[in-house]
Amino acid sequence: MDPVVERRPPNWARVGRRLLAWVLIGVPTVLVVTFVTSTEVRYLARAGMEEARILLKRRAIDQMIRNPKTAPALRQRLELVLAARAYAADSLGLLVGDTYTTYADVGRDTLLLVLSASRRDRLREYTWHYPIVGTVPYKGFFDFAQARAAAAELDREGFDTYLRTAGAFSTLGYFSDPLLSTVMERDTMELVATVIHELAHNTLYLKSQTAFNESFASFVGYRGAQAFFRSRGDSVDAKRAAARWRDERTLDVLYAELARRLDSTYAAAPVGAALERARNAIFGWARAQLTGPVGQSLETYDWRWYAKAPLNNAVVIAQRLYRMNLNQFEEVYVHSRADLRETIRAIQVRVFTEPGQDPYQALYSRAGPAE
């Protein structure tokens, strides 16, 4: 029988020193290596830094309005934003929290470049996954060079890509989002619609349902702007908001038909030259519509922009994110007797009563307004 050997008790001081060395040296080393080798980690770090920089620049809007040094034009815009924010909370029932109680000058006219991508032979979006928001078919970049590099990489891999500018974004109420200088040059109707659009995200946001979320916010933004200006006796901007909403629904119908034609063509699995001929024919039809009867019927958009705008699968996906099944929201609005506050509540009840279901199908789950 082997002799019994009594084990010495562990040297807790030595163990503690080794753990401390790991924390102070090992963990930072792992983080540095990960940061250097991972594009996604660098992207998230940059986004976090930019968000922190924006939050540090915040200034209270009410104090700016009272400050005699604030330029009169800026003061008027800030007063309009606070009025729209109050209307969104009191008359529309949106969750405003502390959103847009502060202002931040970002020091440039474009906040983000947003990248969308799609397969060339199928109308299938390229997606990215993030905490909280889930899977989304676009990626926003504060670093414009990084955005162009990411687009170029996807181009080399054979994807259609589309880079567009963005002047605002929402953290869905997780932070007290400031009003950004990048939206202040918009006309008064668009400024108010943007404010209400972003506040709508605070109120209703479904994980991994980007098209529904953005289309719902577009509906609330423009219908909300119309109601806001009407309540102030501003018939000009109220009519412009109503006209913009009609234009959005017109474009929704056109892009839906374009998507249908593309899906039908791609179902035949053309390749090579046949694929390019088919794409050129369909996009040629779409451009003729946008520069012809459909484009020239628009009341608030300049059809001439569409003559030089890019057009590919990624563009179609990006355009439809904000314009998908808009008439379904309008139908709930009509059934709610054109009461926007009741419409928003009815939509919330329907999508939350049918969890896990396609939110557009949930819009039909009850007839008329919520009781």
Side-chain angles (χ1 to χ4, degrees):
M1 177 181 294
D2 294 334
V4 176
V5 178
E6 182 179 354
R7 298 184 61 184
R8 287 185 294 178
N11 187 332
W12 293 113
R14 181 183 299 174
V15 171
R17 287 195 297 271
R18 288 179 177 175
L19 286 174
L20 182 61
W22 165 247
V23 171
L24 295 179
I25 300 174
V27 172
T29 299
V30 170
L31 292 176
V32 168
V33 170
T34 302
F35 182 82
V36 170
T37 59
S38 172
T39 302
E40 198 62 24
V41 169
R42 291 198 302 273
Y43 166 81
L44 292 172
R46 174 63 187 268
M49 288 168 47
E50 290 290 344
E51 175 65 16
R53 184 165 11 185
I54 289 171
L55 294 177
L56 289 172
K57 288 183 176 181
R58 290 179 297 181
R59 299 164 60 195
I61 290 178
D62 57 353
Q63 294 179 10
M64 292 181 66
I65 291 173
R66 293 194 301 269
N67 188 339
K69 294 183 179 179
T70 300
L74 177 58
R75 180 182 292 109
Q76 289 181 342
R77 291 299 182 97
L78 295 174
E79 290 172 342
L80 182 64
V81 166
L82 289 189
R85 181 182 178 280
Y87 183 86
D90 299 337
S91 298
L92 303 183
L94 298 183
L95 302 178
V96 301
D98 291 326
T99 300
Y100 296 151
T101 58
T102 59
Y103 173 79
D105 187 339
V106 301
R108 61 193 191 206
D109 58 4
T110 299
L111 177 66
L112 296 167
L113 285 182
V114 180
L115 173 63
S116 298
S118 170
R119 289 183 51 169
R120 288 180 58 81
D121 62 348
R122 201 162 302 170
L123 201 60
R124 179 180 298 172
E125 65 269 22
Y126 189 97
T127 59
W128 292 265
H129 187 80
Y130 301 104
I132 302 174
V133 298
T135 301
V136 293
Y138 57 74
K139 186 174 184 177
F141 293 84
F142 289 99
D143 185 328
F144 298 169
Q146 191 179 38
R148 295 186 183 98
E153 178 62 27
L154 287 171
D155 283 334
R156 287 191 292 271
E157 293 177 14
F159 289 91
D160 279 349
T161 61
Y162 177 43
L163 271 176
R164 63 192 186 279
T165 62
F169 67 97
S170 172
T171 60
L172 311 179
Y174 286 93
F175 296 99
S176 300
D177 290 335
L179 178 71
L180 301 177
S181 56
T182 46
V183 304
M184 296 301 281
E185 295 304 316
R186 298 180 183 181
D187 62 57
T188 50
M189 185 278 289
E190 273 296 334
L191 176 60
V192 168
T194 298
V195 168
I196 298 176
H197 177 114
E198 300 301 336
L199 292 174
H201 285 317
N202 288 5
T203 306
L204 175 60
Y205 190 93
L206 304 178
K207 188 173 183 178
S208 301
Q209 294 289 347
T210 304
F212 179 88
N213 295 329
E214 295 296 351
S215 298
F216 166 76
S218 293
F219 160 69
V220 175
Y222 289 121
R223 278 298 191 190
Q226 178 188 1
F228 168 76
F229 287 115
R230 192 168 55 220
S231 74
R232 293 163 63 92
D234 184 344
S235 60
V236 173
D237 271 335
K239 288 178 180 177
R240 289 190 65 250
R244 177 57 60 86
W245 176 237
R246 287 193 294 271
D247 284 352
E248 292 296 318
R249 290 158 63 199
T250 297
L251 290 170
D252 176 12
V253 172
L254 174 65
Y255 282 112
E257 173 60 17
L258 174 55
R260 187 196 66 78
R261 293 185 179 215
L262 288 169
D263 284 335
S264 177
T265 297
Y266 294 147
V271 296
L275 173 63
E276 295 309 310
R277 285 194 300 270
R279 282 166 52 94
N280 289 339
I282 295 174
F283 290 131
W285 169 85
R287 195 174 297 282
Q289 294 297 311
L290 288 165
T291 58
V294 174
Q296 295 185 39
S297 74
L298 300 175
E299 302 171 70
T300 64
Y301 287 114
D302 187 346
W303 64 268
R304 290 169 295 186
W305 178 85
Y306 294 104
K308 47 189 178 180
L311 197 55
N312 60 31
N313 288 356
V315 172
V316 174
I317 287 170
Q319 294 291 340
R320 296 201 72 206
L321 283 181
Y322 297 84
R323 305 182 180 101
M324 185 171 288
N325 300 327
L326 296 182
N327 283 329
Q328 290 192 26
F329 298 107
E330 186 70 8
E331 288 173 14
V332 181
Y333 178 71
V334 171
H335 291 159
S336 300
R337 300 176 293 276
D339 182 330
L340 185 55
R341 183 188 185 107
E342 181 58 34
T343 303
I344 294 168
R345 192 170 76 90
I347 291 171
Q348 288 178 292
V349 168
R350 295 176 193 202
V351 298
F352 289 133
T353 302
E354 305 289 339
Q357 182 175 324
D358 180 340
Y360 284 107
Q361 293 181 8
L363 293 185
Y364 290 117
S365 62
R366 296 179 182 217
E371 296 298 335

